[in-house]
Amino acid sequence: MLTNDLKDKTNQYISIYDELKSKLRWKVAHNQILMLISSAYIVNKRDFNFQRFYDLSSYIKSNIGSFSTLNSHHRFTVASILDIHFQHEAKQAFLPLNRCIQPNGEAWI
């Protein structure tokens, strides 16, 4: 038998996963990425807001190089990590991180 807390977490996970799957259908090829993102919000006890998450992923895409791997589905994973740990300051947290990863202006990610 599942406890009420576990049932709530399972329902939240399914809700987040279903929302991601329906709204990112053509942007993410592997369901495992959506599962990772969903579970990250549940494990870290953060509320999921799709619009905030998607705006952050779009911000990442607009601030990286043309040949960066973050142009693909990886930006959604990075966006979820930043959203979970920084929430309202996530955009400000990305730029210094991106500069650290790109020494001499070379796009490493």
Side-chain angles (χ1 to χ4, degrees), residues 85-101:
H85 293 288
F86 297 102
Q87 283 194 331
H88 303 293
E89 298 85 26
K91 289 180 181 178
Q92 293 82 8
F94 175 71
L95 290 177
L97 173 68
N98 194 32
R99 285 188 203 110
C100 289
I101 297 173

Side-chain angles (χ1 to χ4, degrees), residues 8-24 33-50 52-53 80 83-84:
D8 290 341
K9 287 180 180 180
T10 304
N11 289 336
Q12 288 174 334
Y13 170 83
I14 292 169
S15 173
I16 293 169
Y17 175 78
D18 286 342
E19 184 174 5
L20 288 170
K21 188 171 182 176
S22 68
K23 293 181 178 177
L24 299 177
I33 294 165
L34 302 178
M35 291 177 195
L36 171 70
I37 294 169
S38 302
S39 62
Y41 280 94
I42 299 303
V43 169
N44 288 288
K45 298 176 183 163
R46 296 289 187 176
D47 291 329
F48 178 73
N49 179 315
F50 180 80
R52 183 182 65 220
F53 164 77
S80 69
D83 188 32
I84 288 167

